[in-house]
Amino acid sequence: MFDGQCNLCHFCVQFIVRFDKQITFKLCPMQSDKGERLLKAHQVDDPLSSMLVIDNNQLYKQSDAVLFIATQLGFPFSSAKVFKLLPKGFRDRIYDWLGRNRYRFFGKQTQCKLLTERQKQHFL
């Protein structure tokens, strides 16, 4: 799940769509009806503070979500798991700093991008 207004999040979504050849991930903007239902079901209080991954009813957020995605995309991205050697608190502080400044650094979306048929397969 991602912030549907964030340009950085849109870049990440496009990255996942490009490299997720097996269509492992089903993407969903948090601001959508489906996104809101998932947030409520997983009792997420502050959803826009983090990209979220739900796998087998397990919720991953912040740096854990990014590393989960990277490992699922296979090599060379899976080599990012080396960052799990860093303390989670340290990884999440960096993630939070970037998250707090993402609109300033990358801007916001004002319109939805039209998706190709292949890209639509990646969305809930």
Side-chain angles (χ1 to χ4, degrees):
M1 297 178 60
F2 63 96
D3 178 354
Q5 295 180 325
C6 170
N7 282 337
L8 176 60
C9 296
H10 276 272
F11 170 80
C12 293
V13 164
Q14 292 305 314
F15 184 87
I16 292 167
V17 167
R18 180 175 177 200
F19 292 105
D20 182 18
K21 303 299 183 197
Q22 304 302 317
I23 309 179
T24 302
F25 293 102
K26 292 292 185 176
L27 305 163
C28 181
M30 293 177 194
Q31 294 92 339
S32 69
D33 291 338
K34 289 178 186 175
E36 289 179 7
R37 285 193 299 271
L38 284 168
L39 292 170
K40 186 175 182 179
H42 289 276
Q43 301 173 341
V44 177
D45 296 330
D46 188 16
L48 295 179
S49 68
S50 178
M51 178 183 290
L52 304 170
V53 174
I54 302 168
D55 181 57
N56 292 322
N57 217 28
Q58 170 76 33
L59 179 69
Y60 298 90
K61 56 186 182 176
Q62 295 169 298
S63 64
D64 287 338
V66 173
L67 293 174
F68 180 87
I69 292 167
T71 57
Q72 296 300 308
L73 291 178
F75 187 79
F77 312 109
S78 60
S79 57
K81 65 185 166 195
V82 71
F83 289 106
K84 285 193 172 193
L85 296 172
L86 296 172
K88 179 177 171 32
F90 177 74
R91 288 185 282 130
D92 286 347
R93 275 194 294 275
I94 294 169
Y95 183 97
D96 290 342
W97 176 81
L98 185 59
R100 280 190 309 275
N101 293 290
R102 70 186 187 273
Y103 294 145
R104 185 167 23 134
F105 294 156
F106 302 100
K108 280 184 162 185
Q109 293 281 320
T110 56
Q111 302 174 341
C112 292
K113 181 180 177 184
L114 295 176
L115 303 172
T116 66
E117 288 304 313
R118 183 187 177 290
Q119 289 172 326
K120 287 179 185 177
Q121 297 175 26
H122 285 274
F123 288 82
L124 290 178

